[in-house]
Amino acid sequence: MTDESPDLPYNKAGLDKSFSKGLILLRHLATCEAPAGISDLSAALGMTKSNVHRLLQTLAAYGFVHKNAKSRYSPSLRYWEMGYEVWLHSRAGQVALNDADGLALKANCLVHITLAAEESQELILYDRIGTPIAHPMRRLWPTGTRVPIWRIINGWSDFVAFQIAYIAAKPEVELTSRRDEISRHLEDSGLTYEGLAEHVTAARDLGYAENLGSGLENIEGTACAFRDETGAPVGVLSTIYDRDGSRDGRREDTRRLNRLYAHSISRSLGFRDPN
């Protein structure tokens, strides 16, 4: 669904090579569908077996990996525990989560909270409210999903609402300064930079973005960005509901509530709109 991040540059000047290799090893283990052996890991990562063994021994000593009876390795729950602590201490995420409950209840819809990871130019699904286990969005957008900010998600035909909402909340100069980069990403998609710019302009005029991607034909929804005290967008609040049987009145109510709750999150984070 999204492109893999490039390998960490453990051979880059100024970085600790051993620590970098340990991070690469941990990340690779987290993506393995089954416990992996030293030979498999060595071949996959281009490291010597002795290097992989030493790193695994260190990670196991600190409780980050588990070694089974067949001498194969997998990440331990320590990895998850650290991630949960980060999740729990995200101020923007927790503030948004509090408001998402009210939005899901009043709009009778599913709500996604997406946070920005500017360091990697990605958006990360932080949490969801009201998603039934069998709902297709749970399969397509599991918690923790990372998607690019500036390019179409693999398998989709257009940008999705939370991407547009986030871009629309950023200064216009950032979109224009990335024109060449965005155009390269769109070369094989049939879309253009001008098409993205039109989506962004529409979202700014309306105060929300609407679903555009073709991944789910029977799903509607809107998305609104929220900001921190500096005015920078830090995340997006999205509504999702089944298209079948939806009425114009429901659409308008959902759009209004989405904007209202996104603005509430921004105020709670210290943003004061000068307008």
Side-chain angles (χ1 to χ4, degrees), residues 116-266:
E118 281 286 340
E119 69 281 358
S120 60
Q121 292 298 295
E122 293 174 305
L123 297 167
I124 302 174
L125 178 58
Y126 177 82
D127 210 341
R128 56 160 53 87
I129 302 296
T131 307
I133 293 176
H135 197 281
M137 292 305 293
R138 181 177 291 276
R139 175 177 55 83
L140 284 177
W141 304 106
T143 303
T145 296
R146 304 171 71 94
V147 303
I149 294 174
W150 301 101
R151 62 181 184 272
I152 297 172
I153 301 166
N154 288 345
W156 291 61
S157 65
D158 209 329
F159 287 83
V160 295
F162 60 78
Q163 290 175 297
I164 297 297
Y166 184 76
I167 295 170
K170 297 179 78 65
E172 176 65 20
V173 66
E174 185 156 359
L175 178 61
T176 56
S177 68
R178 291 179 176 272
R179 181 180 186 123
D180 291 343
E181 171 193 347
I182 295 168
S183 296
R184 286 194 299 273
H185 290 319
L186 296 177
E187 284 178 355
D188 300 325
S189 69
L191 297 176
T192 62
Y193 170 87
E194 289 76 16
L196 171 61
E198 288 180 8
H199 294 331
V200 171
T201 298
R204 288 174 178 158
D205 291 342
L206 293 170
Y208 60 86
E210 293 188 286
N211 281 334
L212 298 169
S214 62
L216 289 173
E217 296 181 356
N218 295 319
I219 296 295
E220 289 188 354
T222 57
C224 300
F226 49 87
R227 305 171 184 268
D228 64 12
E229 68 278 3
T230 70
V234 292
V236 180
L237 192 66
S238 305
T239 63
I240 303 160
Y241 52 92
D242 294 332
R243 180 176 298 160
D244 293 342
S246 62
R247 300 182 300 274
D248 289 341
R250 179 183 180 183
R251 292 190 186 99
E252 288 304 317
D253 284 345
T254 303
R255 291 165 180 165
R256 177 182 59 81
L257 289 167
N258 198 169
R259 292 195 301 268
L260 178 66
Y261 277 90
H263 292 162
S264 173
I265 294 168
S266 296

Side-chain angles (χ1 to χ4, degrees), residues 10 19 26 40 70 77 103 111 128 151 159 196 199 220 250:
Y10 61 79
F19 186 68
L26 262 181
D40 296 331
K70 295 182 178 180
L77 287 178
L103 175 57
V111 176
R128 56 160 53 87
R151 62 181 184 272
F159 287 83
L196 171 61
H199 294 331
E220 289 188 354
R250 179 183 180 183

Side-chain angles (χ1 to χ4, degrees), residues 40-120:
D40 296 331
L41 295 169
S42 173
L45 299 174
M47 301 179 191
T48 65
K49 292 181 182 179
S50 60
N51 199 350
V52 171
H53 180 262
R54 184 171 63 253
L55 290 170
L56 288 170
Q57 292 297 104
T58 303
L59 291 169
Y62 284 92
F64 285 96
V65 298
H66 171 72
K67 179 181 178 182
N68 66 18
K70 295 182 178 180
S71 295
R72 300 182 74 81
Y73 294 83
S74 58
S76 73
L77 287 178
R78 179 67 60 83
Y79 209 10
W80 176 83
E81 290 169 348
M82 290 181 65
Y84 179 75
E85 289 298 324
V86 174
W87 179 90
L88 189 64
H89 291 96
S90 167
R91 181 166 179 262
Q94 292 297 311
V95 168
L97 197 57
N98 289 337
D99 278 68
D101 279 322
L103 175 57
L105 182 63
K106 287 189 177 182
N108 188 28
C109 65
L110 314 179
V111 176
H112 281 178
I113 301 166
T114 311
L115 297 185
E118 281 286 340
E119 69 281 358
S120 60

